[in-house]
């Protein structure tokens, strides 16, 4: 089972995801469509990915173009460019997936969806000053935010 997701880097929030059996353009597009539908990004958003074939496909690039999203890719042979996403996948595996077994893909999807909800609403992130993505978002959007 494979997982594709979209991370909002500023908020460290997972905004789109999909499960599948192979790393296909369809799987990546499904995760991106979820993110676009939920977040309704402004034109000119920069979307970063690694150089996997699913992200270099015409299908994926066309979806980005359709929504006026600018694609950005890691430099060849440089895994550090995509470090925040790799860090998320490590957390997902260590904190959740490796502690469980799933009988069906549906069962896995429901369990991972619940963990993503936890990740987005309650899990603290050092990159956000020790608060959750939800708390960060609330503070950022507060009319009393003096740092904005």
């Amino acid at each position: 089972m494979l997982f594709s997701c979209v991370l909002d880097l500023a908020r460290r929030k997972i905004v789109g995801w999909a499960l599948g059996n192979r790393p296909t353009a369809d799987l990546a597009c499904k995760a991106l469509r979820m993110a676009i539908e939920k977040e309704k990004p402004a034109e000119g958003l920069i979307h970063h990915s690694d150089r996997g074939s699913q992200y270099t496909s015409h299908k994926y690039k066309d979806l980005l173009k359709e929504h006026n999203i600018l694609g950005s890719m890691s430099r060849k042979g440089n895994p550090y460019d995509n470090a925040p996403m790799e860090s998320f996948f490590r957390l997902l595996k260590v904190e959740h997936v490796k502690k469980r077994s799933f009988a069906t893909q549906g069962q896995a999807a429901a369990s991972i969806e619940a963990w993503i909800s936890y990740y987005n609403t309650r899990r603290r992130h050092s990159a956000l000053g020790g608060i959750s993505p939800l708390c960060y978002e609330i503070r950022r959007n507060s009319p009393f935010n003096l740092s904005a």
Side-chain angles (χ1 to χ4, degrees):
M1 188 172 350
L2 291 167
F3 188 66
S4 178
C5 67
V6 178
L7 171 74
D8 178 318
L9 187 58
R11 298 178 289 169
R12 294 300 200 273
K13 180 179 179 182
I14 298 299
V15 294
W17 64 276
L19 280 177
N21 295 320
R22 295 187 357 246
T24 63
D26 286 335
L27 182 67
C29 286
K30 186 176 178 182
L32 181 58
R33 276 192 205 92
M34 178 191 281
I36 291 168
E37 288 172 18
K38 284 171 65 176
E39 299 295 312
K40 301 186 181 4
E43 287 187 17
L45 175 80
I46 298 173
H47 173 67
H48 185 77
S49 70
D50 63 22
R51 292 180 172 269
S53 61
Q54 63 273 41
Y55 305 112
T56 60
S57 71
H58 290 293
K59 189 172 194 169
Y60 199 81
K61 287 180 178 180
D62 289 347
L63 183 58
L64 291 172
K65 192 176 195 178
E66 176 185 335
H67 294 279
N68 296 308
I69 297 172
L70 304 172
S72 164
M73 291 196 172
S74 299
R75 293 170 290 175
K76 191 173 184 176
N78 193 332
Y80 302 108
D81 286 349
N82 209 28
M85 195 75 258
E86 296 301 332
S87 177
F88 167 78
F89 284 130
R90 182 186 163 281
L91 285 173
L92 174 64
K93 289 175 188 171
V94 170
E95 292 184 5
H96 189 71
V97 174
K98 290 194 176 193
K99 295 178 179 181
R100 291 163 179 75
S101 62
F102 308 107
T104 65
Q105 190 167 326
Q107 193 180 63
S111 182
I112 290 171
E113 182 173 26
W115 189 83
I116 288 173
S117 177
Y118 155 77
Y119 178 88
N120 283 340
T121 60
R122 296 191 315 269
R123 190 177 192 292
R124 296 169 184 247
H125 296 264
S126 60
L128 299 176
I131 61 174
S132 71
L134 177 62
C135 287
Y136 177 82
E137 199 167 6
I138 290 168
R139 286 183 185 177
R140 192 171 114 191
N141 294 328
S142 169
F144 304 105
N145 184 353
L146 301 176
S147 63

